[in-house]
DNA sequence: TAGATGACTAATA
DNA sequence: CTATTAGCCATCT
């Protein structure tokens, strides 16, 4: 089990219509302090259609920079299709964590 | 092998 | 309130 595999596995468990934070994923894979590497793994290996990396946001509910997804419009569309509205503020996409944060 | 890097977070100033 | 500093730890150079 590599770090990357653990990350992808955890991200796949995020239910449709919800989002999770990097810190939460790190905790799920047994590396509570490796939130950065969670993002790093997704950055290196974004298997679109397999790992829903658009459901992973930072602690503020802000999504990753647009370039990481090939365009923020793509990302916003993916979330919108799952029933997760995004708020565009100052060029950055935000999700309402109080409503859409995944709570196991 | 060592040092720099970053899709993060929390704690200070 | 915003801005800066400091830990974090798997990759990359």
């Amino acid at each position: 089990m590599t770090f990357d595999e653990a990350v992808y596995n955890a991200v796949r468990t995020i239910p449709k219509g919800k989002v999770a934070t990097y810190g939460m994923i790190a905790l799920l894979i047994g590396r509570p302090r490796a939130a950065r590497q969670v993002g790093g793994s997704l950055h290196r290996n974004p298997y679109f259609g397999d790992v829903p990396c658009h459901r992973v946001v930072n602690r503020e509910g802000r999504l990753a920079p647009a370039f990481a997804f090939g365009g923020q419009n793509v990302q916003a569309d993916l979330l919108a299709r799952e029933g997760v509205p995004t708020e565009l503020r100052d060029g950055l996409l935000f999700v309402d964590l109080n409503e859409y944060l995944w709570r196991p």
Side-chain angles (χ1 to χ4, degrees):
Chain A
M1 176 70 87
T2 66
F3 185 87
D4 286 353
E5 287 177 62
V7 171
Y8 303 139
N9 184 57
V11 172
R12 269 189 286 260
T13 66
I14 304 171
K16 179 182 175 186
K18 293 288 180 179
V19 299
T21 67
Y22 292 96
M24 185 181 299
I25 299 301
L27 190 66
L28 286 174
I29 67 178
R31 302 271 178 309
R33 305 294 150 205
R36 281 181 113 142
Q37 283 50 248
V38 172
S41 293
L42 295 177
H43 190 196
R44 291 189 303 278
N45 235 331
Y47 293 120
F48 256 68
D50 183 20
V51 179
C53 41
H54 55 281
R55 293 187 193 141
V56 184
V57 299
N58 71 2
R59 200 111 174 72
E60 301 176 325
R62 195 191 74 206
L63 275 65
F67 61 81
F69 293 89
Q72 60 182 174
N73 292 12
V74 175
Q75 181 180 11
D77 189 59
L78 285 171
L79 286 169
R81 283 172 179 275
E82 298 185 347
V84 180
T86 55
E87 188 181 348
L88 182 57
R89 282 161 30 185
D90 204 35
L92 296 172
L93 289 168
F94 287 78
V95 172
D96 184 350
L97 292 181
N98 290 310
E99 284 296 322
Y100 300 98
L101 177 62
W102 176 41
R103 307 191 179 157

